[in-house]
Amino acid sequence: MLKLKRILLIAPSEMTLTPAFARARALACATGATLHIVAFDYVQALAVAGLLDHDSMAQAREGYLQVHRQWLEQQARLQRGIGMQVTTEVLWTKSNFAHLLEYVNDFHPDLIIKDTHHVPALDRAFHRPLDWRLLRECPAHLHLVTSEVNPKPLKILAAIDLSHLEELTQGLNDRILDLASTLAASCGAALHVLNVSHWSVMSDASRSVPTGSLDDSLREAVQDAQQEAFDVLAERYCIKNTRRHSLTGIPHKVITFFAKHNAFDMVVLGTAYHDGHDAFMGTTAESVLNQAPCSLMVVKPLLASS
């Protein structure tokens, strides 16, 4: 079973408690992991004023950061009082993707936790939101929190993908179930597993099983093979028959609908990469994030050593 040792909470620049704070505390407490909270703080007005009077603005900036550090430390002390290991840090830098990724690569967390917010379709059309870029390029598992309900999750859905050949996904289904089962066991949550079949229209169709284009007998054979693989995985992680779900349809729509209408607190799903410039195998995670039926835990593949 996976062992979470280091959780990184990316806190908002505003000094306010958000759903990600509650989830990070709950998961760190349940798993015994250390929790590090970092906030990226940058006030444009102070930065501009510093061009005119560097010494005065440097003093004002440090005073501002000190207030933020004290506020974060106050939150950390409350958790240390119940035995948690919590550290905090406030950095004077913009909370953009480049700075976040650099920090993550230096810190090497097992899990990153961050609040997520809905981005209108028009905005997404002109630029990639920060959460989407983290989903694509962040090397660590990423937990995007949407709600304050049940900080310690009660129902977890692991969404696996049996439409790709195993060697193309670097054991991603096992990694999804490994993390999901670890969280469920630590939190005392009910773990369900979902596979969506008939992945017939996909941008990476050459790498998946185009079940919609097969004749009846071959389609049944593919479905039987997927069901057998599904049962083997579920048995390996001791998931009850009543918590195994095989559905058909467009993956992101089925996952979103199923999670929403069955009141899951968290969906655990994966992303997988292959060689090539900005290559991304499957867009299910992005599509689910767009509709966000609940908090998402995005599992990354095991990167091959160079």
Side-chain angles (χ1 to χ4, degrees):
M1 184 174 288
L2 178 69
K3 176 66 175 178
L4 293 177
K5 297 179 180 179
R6 290 157 62 89
I7 294 177
L8 173 64
L9 169 61
I10 300 176
S13 57
E14 301 84 4
M15 286 174 271
T16 181
L17 294 176
T18 64
F21 272 89
R23 178 58 57 81
R25 288 196 298 260
L27 293 187
C29 185
T31 62
T34 61
L35 174 61
H36 183 66
I37 307 172
V38 62
F40 296 86
D41 214 343
Y42 188 85
V43 180
Q44 185 68 31
L46 289 178
V48 172
L51 298 175
L52 303 176
D53 189 342
H54 177 76
D55 292 338
S56 296
M57 286 305 103
Q59 185 175 1
R61 181 184 68 185
E62 185 56 33
Y64 183 85
L65 290 175
Q66 188 61 27
V67 170
H68 200 162
R69 293 188 185 109
Q70 291 174 352
W71 184 85
L72 273 187
E73 271 298 305
Q74 182 180 12
Q75 313 313 314
R77 281 196 297 271
L78 296 175
Q79 307 312 312
R80 295 185 191 120
I82 59 174
M84 289 177 56
Q85 298 182 47
V86 187
T87 55
T88 64
E89 186 176 12
V90 180
L91 301 176
W92 180 261
T93 185
K94 293 181 179 179
S95 180
N96 59 31
F97 174 73
H99 293 150
L100 289 181
L101 187 60
E102 181 180 6
Y103 191 92
V104 167
N105 287 332
D106 288 340
F107 188 77
H108 299 295
D110 298 309
L111 174 65
I112 299 169
I113 300 179
K114 179 185 177 297
D115 291 288
T116 188
H117 306 282
H118 175 71
V119 177
L122 185 60
D123 290 346
R124 296 196 307 272
F126 289 99
H127 69 278
R128 286 291 186 184
L130 176 60
D131 291 348
W132 284 33
R133 297 200 64 187
L134 287 172
L135 186 151
R136 278 181 169 245
E137 302 178 48
C138 177
H141 301 322
L142 177 66
H143 187 27
L144 298 171
V145 182
T146 61
S147 172
E148 298 179 354
V149 178
N150 299 332
K152 186 165 75 169
L154 303 179
K155 290 182 68 178
I156 297 175
L157 176 65
I160 61 174
D161 173 6
L162 295 173
S163 69
H164 295 87
L165 298 176
E166 186 67 14
E167 60 267 23
L168 294 176
T169 59
Q170 301 98 34
L172 187 58
N173 289 324
D174 268 306
R175 289 171 66 79
I176 291 169
L177 284 169
D178 197 10
L179 179 55
S181 62
T182 294
L183 295 173
S186 300
C187 298
L191 175 60
H192 293 243
V193 60
L194 168 67
N195 178 59
V196 183
S197 60
H198 285 207
W199 298 56
S200 57
V201 182
M202 298 292 290
S203 60
D204 57 341
S206 62
R207 295 174 176 266
S208 59
V209 180
T211 57
S213 64
L214 303 177
D215 59 45
D216 290 343
S217 60
L218 189 52
R219 181 162 55 247
E220 289 178 4
V222 170
Q223 290 173 342
D224 289 344
Q226 284 197 11
Q227 187 61 46
E228 182 179 352
F230 180 72
D231 289 335
V232 168
L233 275 172
E235 287 290 340
R236 188 182 304 161
Y237 292 93
C238 303
I239 299 174
K240 300 176 182 178
N241 286 331
T242 55
R243 295 178 180 174
R244 304 177 190 179
H245 312 280
S246 295
L247 300 175
T248 61
I250 299 174
H252 74 268
K253 291 184 177 181
V254 174
I255 293 169
T256 300
F257 180 87
F258 189 81
K260 180 178 180 179
H261 287 269
N262 289 279
F264 284 98
D265 300 308
M266 178 193 301
V267 172
V268 185
L269 72 170
T271 63
Y273 299 84
H274 59 84
D275 293 336
H277 177 68
D278 196 31
F280 186 70
M281 185 194 299
T283 58
T284 300
E286 289 188 7
S287 298
V288 174
L289 174 59
N290 180 30
Q291 301 179 34
C294 59
S295 297
L296 303 183
M297 181 74 71
V298 182
V299 177
K300 301 305 179 72
L302 182 62
L303 298 179
S305 58
S306 56

